[in-house]
Amino acid sequence: PPAVDASDPRVLRASVGGVRFPAWGRKAHWVASGRRSDRVGGRDATTVFYDGDDGTRLGYTIVSGAALAWPHGARVAVHDGVAVRLLRDHGRRIAAWRVAGHTCVISAPASVPESRLVELASGATYGPA
């Protein structure tokens, strides 16, 4: 997994287009456990996996390039001024939002409450420094 950035312990030493991944850590009960890179629709997408205290794993993906269209049928929840789109797909909860023009997505098991996803997303808005 990417390491915590020693100069800013709120974030990991991983980013896409200047958008940085959060270092939620033990305090937020989500510890970075791995990373993967993919191509989605011709764009680079980096996912950092986080493990919860109970062994639950979620993936946080940042997609390069201009923001993707919002998912069809998503509901909107706003927390701390951040609009988060929520939906379910193949038994998983999905939260999507934008940071500095990039699409960010959390995919988590249905056991993770939507309210927790909204809270995580609204606190994960680390754009270019």
Side-chain angles (χ1 to χ4, degrees):
V4 173
D5 186 331
S7 67
D8 185 351
R10 299 173 306 153
V11 295
L12 301 175
R13 290 178 41 200
S15 66
V16 174
V19 178
R20 303 173 77 186
F21 287 91
W24 287 318
R26 297 259 176 242
K27 183 177 179 183
H29 307 287
W30 294 102
V31 177
S33 59
R35 171 181 23 195
R36 103 183 227 175
S37 297
D38 296 287
R39 298 276 298 164
V40 177
R43 301 169 189 240
D44 291 326
T46 300
T47 302
V48 171
F49 297 96
Y50 295 83
D51 290 343
D53 292 342
D54 63 356
T56 300
R57 176 169 282 178
L58 62 80
Y60 176 174
T61 303
I62 302 173
V63 182
S64 70
L68 300 172
W70 292 120
H72 179 71
R75 294 180 301 99
V76 179
V78 179
H79 186 267
D80 289 341
V82 177
V84 180
R85 273 47 179 199
L86 299 164
L87 67 147
R88 286 186 182 231
D89 187 46
H90 295 94
R92 295 187 64 80
R93 293 188 194 272
I94 309 295
W97 71 105
R98 294 181 180 150
V99 178
H102 294 280
T103 300
C104 300
V105 179
I106 294 175
S107 173
S111 61
V112 179
E114 283 186 350
S115 60
R116 183 66 173 139
L117 293 182
V118 171
E119 179 184 326
L120 290 169
S122 68
T125 56
Y126 302 109

